[in-house]
Amino acid sequence: MALLQQILFLISLGVAGFFIRKRVLQIRSTIALGKKMTLTGPSQERIKNVLLVAFGQKKMFKKWIPAVLHFFIYAGFLIINLEVLEFIIDGLAGTHRIFAPYLGGFYHFLMNFFEFLAVAVLVACIAFLIRRNVMNIARFHSAEMKKWPRLDANLILTIEIILMGAIFTMNATDQILQTRTDHYTPTGTLFFSSFLIPVFEGLDTSTLVIIERFAWWFHILGILGFTVYVTYSKHLHIFLAFVNTYVAKLEAKGHINNMPVVTNEVKSMLGLETAAATPAEPGRFGGKDINDLSQANLIAAYSCTECGRCTSECPANLTGKKLSPRKIMMDTRDRLEEVGKSMAAGGPGLNDGKSLLGDYITKEEINACTSCNACVEACPVLINPLEIILEMRRYVAMEESGSPAQWNSMFQNIETSFAPWKFSPSDRFNWSKD
Amino acid sequence: MNAPTMADLAAKGEKPEVLFWVGCAGSFDDRAKRVTKAFVKILNAVGTRFAVLGNEETCTGDPARRAGNEFLFQMQAMNNIQVLNAYDVKKIVTACPHCFNTLKNEYPELGGNYEVIHHSTFLQQLINEGKIKLSGGGTFKGKKITYHDSCYLGRANNIYEAPREVLQALDADLVEMKKCRTTGLCCGAGGAQMFKEPEKGNQDINIARTEDALSTGASTIAVACPFCMTMMTDGVKNKEKESSVQVKDLAELIAESIK
């Protein structure tokens, strides 16, 4: 029986590992479709961002209520998962609470501390479910937050609540069994789960063993299953937030990335210098599809957890325009997934006749942006929706000449009178004569 | 108006301490021209040796770049850089946050390296150095002023305090809108929106922002950007408050109070 459990455990680990690996490779291959990113600036700055913004959650604390609740779940995730190490060793070796004899009193403290965190996670998840579904918080009810994104958010919270429930059930039954059989290593009283002891105390030992084992298996399979789920979910931010804060742009927010291809052409047009070996195929100007965006933009799309802080600060969105920076990131991710799935199935991938701009994001959305950087400032994990919007405007302006008519007039004014308005350039200095 | 051009000075073999980059709005827009003149008045009053490019100045290319026309932006940038470098310009001051951002953050990659400062920082420095002396018991004493953050100064370049310090020097009662500094709401003109009608929605952004400003009860809305000036002025007119609420640039407020 014990050996059978060990074999089953090994198989479970293997199955989970297989699916996780498959997903990680698929996500990596879709990110690889993007333009290679060049990370400029000092890497100390990047490491500082990872430590302060991702690890330290600095930007979350602009809104302190969700920040504290989120911190509970985050700390719980980081620390309770240390226990998973023991689960895995126990599962493979057929042992039970292998660390307990070695750690002694510290094990007792640790288990109590984990239980305290589990309670904090439970409280936070319930509060988040209430915030999301009962309280009328606008950013959770925007147009893009219907169907799957909404279900995804509620599923994550519910799964976490159930997983915490499993921990308490396991610990409560374990504590009763410790008094009845030698196999169950004494842990000392575990404060929170001991409240559940009266619920189970009347049951006979064999039933309790089944419940304890069920809770143990449920918890570990739940965690493995949840990890696979996370790779399909917005919850992927728990890993990619760290990556994203590292690759996020360091320049002043007002800076727009230069296009060296254009610099070469402009220089040769102005006869400034013979452009050094212009690339044979300059490719597309600007962004039409995911492969026109930088890999950093694509990592950002996978890092987005759809909290909507960007959209709730966006002046265009606040005044009823279609633009939602969160939707820009969600669309980018959806398109990545579509292409990834197609490639994995041997399909046409990028050449499926669709594109991010057009099939997912409309011109009406990108044209409404005021480039005010409110979304960039708001993002707790340094995602930059503005970069994607501007790449698309570049595509529309330079490849399609499809900018709004008034912008085309503005372009013409700059070309002919060197100002965005139609004034005679020789009148530029008239203000000094008035 | 005493505003020498770089060409005038070069003819005399002279160089200014600082180039005043006027910008297209500051050169052509009637309302923004008053800000240009106010700033020139201050420069002359404190004796800064400055010059302008006059007819040699052209659009920095900011709206073209933000609307997606990278070619046009770079054409403008390269031409401007050639002019600036030919005059061996080292330091630039401008009253337009959009010009400021482009000159400061985007010209270096194209070969234009200058010390660029916005007039809010420049005015703050003059005040701190004691070069600007404001008349005591000023017109603003006890009056409420609210400052509208320009996105291209604030979030884009982290300049939040300089304009506020300038206003505080006026002895006015500086009141903040709920959305200010990092969360300041855009006036609606950035990203080349100044040059087209907004997309369909339920409100214009400048009206939303004007409502924010009016709700502070301030009688002066201070701005530091010609586009914000247009948007907020239009907003105040739309709310029919132009008789009780004025929209003024920092330079105008200082120029009016200067000794």
Side-chain angles (χ1 to χ4, degrees):
Chain A
M1 178 66 189
L3 188 67
L4 182 69
Q5 282 203 33
Q6 279 165 265
I7 293 168
L8 278 175
F9 187 79
L10 188 66
I11 293 172
S12 314
L13 267 188
V15 170
F18 172 80
F19 283 111
I20 292 165
R21 184 174 174 276
K22 199 176 139 194
R23 275 297 289 168
V24 168
L25 291 178
Q26 186 182 319
I27 291 169
R28 262 181 51 179
S29 72
T30 51
I31 290 173
L33 292 172
K35 287 185 177 160
K36 261 207 152 50
M37 50 185 167
T38 39
L39 297 181
T40 52
S43 52
Q44 303 97 285
E45 279 299 304
R46 299 184 177 279
I47 292 165
K48 205 175 112 195
N49 276 344
V50 175
L51 292 177
L52 280 178
V53 179
F55 195 75
Q57 311 209 334
K58 185 180 162 202
K59 294 188 80 181
M60 281 295 287
F61 281 87
K62 285 188 199 166
K63 290 180 190 279
W64 74 270
I65 295 175
V68 169
L69 293 170
H70 181 267
F71 189 79
F72 285 159
I73 302 180
Y74 166 68
F77 167 78
L78 280 185
I79 298 167
I80 299 176
N81 274 347
L82 291 175
E83 202 183 347
V84 173
L85 183 69
E86 188 184 46
F87 270 72
I88 290 174
I89 297 174
D90 280 344
L92 291 172
T95 48
H96 183 73
R97 293 193 186 268
I98 190 165
F99 292 153
Y102 300 105
L103 297 175
F106 185 58
Y107 190 83
H108 174 237
F109 165 77
L110 268 187
M111 286 304 122
N112 267 308
F113 183 53
F114 291 170
E115 281 203 348
F116 165 73
L117 287 170
V119 169
V121 171
L122 205 65
V123 169
C125 287
I126 293 168
F128 278 161
L129 278 175
I130 295 170
R131 280 174 63 85
R132 213 166 255 281
N133 298 291
V134 183
M135 289 166 70
N136 204 11
I137 298 172
R139 65 187 161 101
F140 298 136
H141 302 278
S142 324
E144 66 269 21
M145 293 310 287
K146 308 278 184 251
K147 294 181 185 164
W148 166 244
R150 185 174 170 75
L151 177 66
D152 187 17
N154 283 326
L155 270 178
I156 293 161
L157 293 167
T158 311
I159 294 171
E160 282 173 357
I161 290 171
I162 294 172
L163 287 176
M164 294 307 113
I167 290 189
F168 290 121
T169 308
M170 181 186 84
N171 284 353
T173 49
D174 194 309
Q175 282 173 85
I176 305 169
L177 288 165
Q178 287 167 27
T179 64
R180 299 192 193 171
T181 88
D182 283 344
H183 177 74
Y184 286 84
T185 323
T187 55
T189 305
L190 303 176
F191 181 76
F192 291 103
S193 58
S194 63
F195 286 105
L196 289 177
I197 288 179
V199 180
F200 299 105
E201 220 163 20
L203 301 169
D204 61 52
T205 303
S206 57
T207 314
L208 280 177
V209 170
I210 291 171
I211 294 175
E212 192 279 332
R213 283 293 82 193
F214 179 80
W216 187 91
W217 274 97
F218 186 87
H219 186 68
I220 188 68
L221 290 182
I223 284 179
L224 292 175
F226 189 54
T227 312
V228 177
Y229 174 82
V230 164
T231 65
Y232 290 92
S233 153
K234 76 184 186 90
H235 211 49
L236 199 51
H237 83 291
I238 61 175
F239 301 111
L240 284 180
F242 293 89
V243 183
N244 194 64
T245 48
Y246 187 81
V247 301
K249 152 174 188 156
L250 296 177
E251 289 97 341
K253 289 194 190 72
H255 170 268
I256 291 184
N257 296 327
N258 192 38
M259 291 180 73
V261 195
V262 174
T263 311
N264 280 342
E265 292 211 16
V266 169
K267 276 187 175 168
S268 69
M269 276 162 75
L270 295 174
L272 282 178
E273 59 192 63
T274 35
T278 21
E281 183 56 54
R284 214 181 248 160
F285 289 118
K288 183 189 186 190
D289 209 347
I290 48 173
N291 57 326
D292 302 320
L293 302 176
S294 88
Q295 292 178 352
N297 296 148
L298 306 184
I299 291 171
Y302 275 118
S303 310
C304 174
T305 194
E306 301 165 12
C307 72
R309 282 167 173 77
C310 51
T311 294
S312 67
E313 294 290 334
C314 173
N317 190 276
L318 285 171
T319 53
K321 278 81 176 175
K322 277 206 180 124
L323 174 64
S324 160
R326 168 172 56 190
K327 180 178 171 288
I328 300 287
M329 301 318 297
M330 291 168 71
D331 285 343
T332 305
R333 184 194 166 118
D334 288 348
R335 174 66 181 151
L336 279 162
E337 282 292 286
E338 181 179 57
V339 171
K341 249 184 232 157
S342 167
M343 289 194 311
L350 277 169
N351 305 313
D352 59 354
K354 292 194 196 173
S355 58
L356 180 58
L357 178 66
D359 293 291
Y360 288 83
I361 299 170
T362 59
K363 284 187 197 172
E364 183 179 345
E365 290 166 69
I366 59 167
N367 287 343
C369 172
T370 67
S371 73
C372 76
N373 269 300
C375 56
V376 182
E377 178 68 40
C379 181
V381 296
L382 308 183
I383 292 170
N384 191 326
L386 179 55
E387 277 187 3
I388 298 178
I389 294 170
L390 289 168
E391 285 304 324
M392 295 191 159
R393 283 190 183 176
R394 282 174 167 174
Y395 173 79
V396 174
M398 293 190 283
E399 294 280 358
E400 290 190 330
S401 301
S403 303
Q406 286 173 304
W407 276 356
N408 283 331
S409 310
M410 178 262 288
F411 296 154
Q412 215 176 4
N413 292 337
I414 295 179
E415 275 167 30
T416 54
S417 25
F418 313 117
W421 298 283
K422 206 176 179 69
F423 289 105
S424 164
S426 58
D427 290 343
R428 186 177 273 271
F429 198 33
N430 285 358
W431 60 266
S432 68
K433 295 170 202 142
D434 296 349
Chain B
M1 180 139 256
N2 177 26
T5 62
M6 292 297 286
D8 293 341
L9 292 191
K12 289 190 271 178
E14 286 174 23
K15 267 186 198 170
E17 288 168 49
V18 61
L19 166 73
F20 171 30
W21 182 276
V22 182
C24 299
S27 302
F28 293 116
D29 178 272
D30 284 337
R31 182 68 189 85
K33 278 199 268 187
R34 277 156 53 195
V35 177
T36 304
K37 286 182 218 164
F39 190 59
V40 167
K41 182 188 160 192
I42 298 169
L43 290 172
N44 283 322
V46 299
T48 305
R49 288 190 303 114
F50 77 99
V52 296
L53 281 171
N55 285 341
E56 286 186 276
E57 190 185 283
T58 72
C59 174
T60 60
D62 157 85
R65 180 170 244 197
R66 269 124 197 107
N69 195 336
E70 184 71 8
F71 272 99
L72 184 53
F73 162 72
Q74 293 206 14
M75 289 292 281
Q76 288 303 115
M78 297 280 188
N79 282 320
N80 283 323
I81 289 168
Q82 278 185 301
V83 172
L84 292 167
N85 288 353
Y87 283 121
D88 194 25
V89 169
K90 296 274 187 275
K91 188 174 176 184
I92 303 174
V93 63
T94 176
C96 173
H98 297 263
C99 297
F100 165 72
N101 177 69
T102 304
L103 292 166
K104 181 174 188 282
N105 296 320
E106 298 177 353
Y107 275 26
E109 282 168 305
L110 301 170
N113 292 286
Y114 321 103
E115 181 195 349
V116 187
I117 56 172
H118 184 253
H119 81 319
S120 56
T121 311
F122 193 81
L123 290 172
Q124 180 210 11
Q125 287 168 358
L126 290 175
I127 291 167
N128 289 352
E129 290 164 7
K131 287 188 183 158
I132 290 183
K133 299 238 172 4
L134 299 168
S135 45
T139 26
F140 293 100
K141 201 167 176 87
K143 283 198 182 146
K144 280 189 186 172
I145 295 188
T146 190
Y147 172 65
H148 162 75
D149 283 280
S150 146
C151 306
Y152 274 78
L153 272 193
R155 282 184 292 268
N157 288 292
N158 285 317
I159 297 175
Y160 298 109
E161 299 313 318
R164 289 181 167 80
E165 283 183 29
V166 171
L167 291 173
Q168 263 146 8
L170 292 172
D171 231 3
D173 181 9
L174 183 60
V175 286
E176 294 289 354
M177 291 180 246
K178 201 172 155 214
K179 284 173 164 276
C180 64
R181 294 192 171 85
T182 55
T183 55
L185 185 76
C186 178
C187 71
Q193 299 298 338
M194 184 72 194
F195 306 101
K196 73 170 195 25
E197 288 304 311
E199 273 57 40
K200 210 170 117 285
N202 48 36
Q203 194 182 27
D204 282 345
I205 297 172
N206 67 321
I207 304 298
R209 189 50 170 170
T210 304
E211 286 172 0
D212 288 352
L214 293 178
S215 72
T216 65
S219 55
T220 301
I221 302 170
V223 295
C225 168
F227 294 167
C228 297
M229 169 71 84
T230 302
M231 297 309 259
M232 299 306 282
T233 307
D234 287 353
V236 169
K237 275 187 200 147
N238 178 282
K239 295 279 169 190
E240 295 174 352
K241 285 275 188 274
E242 62 265 45
S243 56
S244 54
V245 177
Q246 55 172 358
V247 184
K248 290 261 170 136
D249 186 272
L250 297 177
E252 293 177 298
L253 295 171
I254 294 295
E256 284 167 17
S257 313
I258 212 160
K259 254 183 195 170

